[in-house]
Amino acid sequence: MNINALDAFTTDLFEKLFTAKKDGAPSDAERKAIAELFRHAEAEKLTAPIVALFSALEKFHNDQGFTPEQLGITRDALTALAVKHEGIDEHRVTVGGRVGRALPIVDAAQSRVREYLDRHPKEAPSGIEVWDRMLENQKRIKNVLSMSDDDWNSYSGQLRHAIEDVATLSKVIDLPAKAIEDVLRVTKTYRMRLTPYYASLILPGQINDPVLLQSVPTGEMVDNAGVEIPPVAADHSPARLIDQFYPRVVTIKATNMCAMYCTHCLRIAHIGAKDRLYGKDAYGEALDYIRANPEIRDVLVTGGDSLVLPNSMLEWLLGQLDAIEHVRMKRLGTRIPVTTPQRIDNELLDILEASNDKKPLRVVTQINTAQEITPVSKAAFQAISKRVAAVMNQAVLLKGINDSSVKMWKLCETIQEAYVRPYYVFNCSYRNPQFKHLRVPVAVGQSIVESMYGNISGDAIPRYIATAGGKIPLHRTNVLEHCQGHVKMQKPWSGEQVTYPDPEPQEYARQDFGFAKYEK
Ligand code: SF4
């Protein structure tokens, strides 16, 4: 058998293994262990025993300097096994490539995620992982609020028992007296509402719990200096209820209500002090605008939260949009599957599916921590995902809530496992002083998002976006240099530089390609 018939990886590996580094003889036990691996590699028609033998020989060589011959294996016998390996492998991968290159590369890659794997259960547990603790909270909250099981398991029960005042809040969540005073102060200006379900996701024992920070206002909301610049003001609203930043996409702000009011709400100015239901005349004007502008293709129905609309109104609105020929897609913006998943019942799912059957309907949600994904919200997302074209998440990067690689990786992986696609992560808006204490520097977000490349599934990596009169991508470039005929780039996960050949401009400019060559 000729080793030269094998690839360079294998000849390199042989050269290394057969270069003696140490005189003397291995122990009987060491020779016996290698003999056993050799016996398996010869006897079995599999690649793994051959890989195990070569890996063990390489380890002996690295650690102790012994050659295969010193361990009782001849060069010919090993060559025969290398040839056998290549013959078995469907893709003709050689044992040299596998042992000398692929396994060390995988090992190095694994070392990049080891820290995350060690830290995420403690630093960023999902609601599924701490569900037992949440169930204890549920029991306690149900008791305090005198809620029956039916109340707890229904959307109307959750809304009826929503926590909107300090007295109820302090019965449900154990907060320092000064924090309670501040909630009282802030809620004179801004609304607070947590459903009992969402309150049960707050884990006692950590003062800046990420669910607590998102839902219970702190003094900064009124103390922060600055003037609010409403994000979607008159200059972006060409018609009643409509916002428009782009030529082919519009938003209908279909309600000012949400099942839970977030402390980082971009639309805090629109939420106002009171829930308001809008009439068909208001929607009618918005629909007239869409009908009159045939370039509009994609309509986002949001709020507030689009899923607080009664089913009859939602069905009517989606039906109106489906009837407009040039509207090709719809989106619903909602946080309800994480704040009040009890809303997701069969009647609603049937409405979503019927509209999706006419034209694609996507559900766009906002989940900011893995802690918000519980068995209940995951089931809600699974049910929605079976009925619509896509469920996508727009997270907001928030200090103390998700501003670390561990927290953001965990969020993106957890929601992906809950049938939701990580889509955007927004740098928290500069326009609202109310929550400037939750803002995270742009560069921190870049490092977090960049750390995902090469380490988690590509479709779990969101785009990092600033909203500044429209969405502006914030990703750093990994292209270092454009040269004649190639581009110099770096791998975001390791910094390793690679040269990437670019097509020649003259070649790209040629039009006589493909079937054009055959033109008569
Ligand atoms: S659900 Fe959305 S609109 Fe409602 S308060 Fe939260 S961020 Fe604002």
Side-chain angles (χ1 to χ4, degrees), residues 228-486:
E228 181 180 352
I229 311 164
V232 204
D235 54 345
H236 287 295
S237 183
R240 191 172 175 187
L241 301 188
I242 294 278
D243 286 334
Q244 184 165 17
F245 288 88
Y246 312 105
R248 308 200 68 195
V249 183
V250 295
T251 300
I252 303 179
K253 296 166 289 182
T255 172
N256 75 329
M257 291 194 274
C258 299
M260 187 276 270
Y261 291 113
C262 308
T263 54
H264 56 276
C265 179
L266 191 75
R267 293 174 183 271
I268 205 161
H270 298 267
I271 297 298
K274 248 179 48 201
D275 289 343
R276 286 192 298 131
L277 277 177
Y278 306 161
K280 283 190 180 169
D281 52 339
Y283 296 131
E285 280 197 51
L287 291 164
D288 283 346
Y289 177 79
I290 296 169
R291 283 187 200 103
N293 288 279
E295 67 289 348
I296 294 170
R297 171 181 174 269
D298 188 0
V299 178
L300 166 66
V301 180
T302 184
D305 192 312
S306 68
L307 289 190
V308 302
L309 293 183
N311 282 347
S312 55
M313 187 59 95
L314 195 63
E315 189 173 26
W316 175 81
L317 192 51
L318 288 171
Q320 294 292 309
L321 291 172
D322 285 325
I324 301 173
E325 209 273 328
H326 57 265
V327 171
R328 302 296 168 90
M329 339 258 298
K330 299 96 51 187
R331 272 180 275 176
L332 294 176
T334 178
R335 198 151 148 62
I336 272 189
V338 282
T339 62
T340 327
Q342 296 78 6
R343 166 77 174 97
I344 313 304
D345 59 15
N346 282 333
E347 188 181 310
L348 172 66
L349 292 169
D350 288 345
I351 291 168
L352 301 186
E353 185 175 6
S355 178
N356 186 56
D357 282 348
K358 294 191 184 101
K359 293 173 186 179
L361 174 67
R362 294 100 84 213
V363 168
V364 183
T365 187
Q366 188 204 121
I367 313 163
N368 296 318
T369 64
Q371 197 168 315
E372 290 163 287
I373 295 293
T374 68
V376 183
S377 54
K378 180 176 174 175
F381 281 122
Q382 184 171 8
I384 297 170
S385 72
K386 287 181 185 166
R387 309 290 194 106
V388 300
V391 186
M392 305 185 293
N393 189 52
Q394 303 188 336
V396 186
L397 183 63
L398 296 163
K399 181 173 158 187
I401 291 171
N402 53 22
D403 60 334
S404 75
S405 291
V406 171
K407 289 174 183 170
M408 192 57 80
W409 291 21
K410 182 66 177 281
L411 166 66
C412 293
E413 291 197 332
T414 305
I415 63 175
Q416 195 188 33
E417 291 161 24
Y419 303 86
V420 179
R421 200 186 129 212
Y423 166 51
Y424 284 152
V425 54
F426 290 119
N427 185 267
C428 181
S429 174
Y430 66 94
R431 291 168 176 264
N432 300 71
Q434 295 95 331
F435 46 84
K436 76 174 181 197
H437 57 288
L438 296 176
R439 291 199 71 211
V440 177
V442 167
V444 172
Q446 287 174 318
S447 297
I448 291 172
V449 176
E450 202 154 275
S451 74
M452 296 183 179
Y453 284 88
N455 293 324
I456 69 172
S457 303
D459 61 339
I461 303 175
R463 277 180 280 164
Y464 183 34
I465 300 289
T467 43
K471 296 181 180 66
I472 303 172
L474 285 170
H475 290 251
R476 274 194 286 243
T477 178
N478 284 289
V479 175
L480 304 175
E481 209 181 321
H482 285 269
C483 312
Q484 186 64 33
H486 68 269

